[in-house]
Amino acid sequence: MPSHDLIPHPSSPQGPLRSISVDIRLIAPAALSIRYRVAGSLDGILVPPRETPARTDELWRHTCFEAFIGQKGSEAYVEFNFSPSTRWAAYRFTAYREGMSEAMECPAPAIAVARTASKLTLTSELDLGWMSDGSLDAPLRIALSAVIENNAGAKSYWALAHPSEKPDFHHPDSFVCNLKKASRT
């Protein structure tokens, strides 16, 4: 299972966290499992309490995890937001920050959350068959990120790459994770 380390944007403090890593793997012909692992002093961050799972907008205003997934050779992508509350969202884009629409055809992901004093793990299982021909045969380009809110309400922005002066998880150069069929076994 490929593991990726997120790094804080240079303009945002790392705060009480030591690290955020993300594991991503194929779990079915058209489904992915994405596991975010946060390590550090969790008493210093705000973690939304568990709620009934539901599609919810503006999750990025508080601690949440994000995945941006598109197919190689296309500018289109889908943004997924996963909250520790188990709330979620999915949005389609036709190109970089263009043509945004709610991805209503996206089935609800299965979200599991575990927390200790020094570790927060969020695992989301996504059915992506609605995005493709049902098999995910085309290589995927992926951007992984997190917004972490501290107890004072300040946010830090974590991603695989930060190609802009300001945090911008949508930036085309943020899509640095590529999954090909051979790497999905």
Side-chain angles (χ1 to χ4, degrees), residues 65-130:
F65 303 94
E66 301 182 347
F68 299 78
I69 302 174
Q71 293 186 325
K72 199 96 165 156
S74 171
E75 291 184 8
Y77 60 94
V78 178
E79 173 186 354
F80 296 94
N81 301 157
F82 314 110
S83 171
S85 69
T86 71
R87 298 284 171 111
W88 64 279
Y91 307 96
R92 285 185 175 276
F93 290 84
T94 56
Y96 173 58
R97 293 192 176 273
E98 292 180 11
M100 179 182 171
S101 63
E102 212 169 339
M104 295 305 293
E105 66 278 32
C106 175
I111 299 174
V113 179
R115 180 181 176 172
T116 66
S118 62
K119 189 174 182 182
L120 172 68
T121 303
L122 182 143
T123 304
S124 179
E125 294 184 358
L126 296 168
D127 177 351
L128 301 181
W130 61 276

Side-chain angles (χ1 to χ4, degrees), residues 159-170:
L160 292 173
H162 294 287
S164 303
E165 188 174 308
K166 293 183 179 182
D168 182 0
F169 301 149
H170 293 257

Side-chain angles (χ1 to χ4, degrees), residues 7-14 155-159 161-168:
I7 55 173
H9 189 274
S11 70
S12 64
Q14 185 168 332
K155 294 176 189 69
S156 61
Y157 302 93
W158 297 67
H162 294 287
S164 303
E165 188 174 308
K166 293 183 179 182
D168 182 0

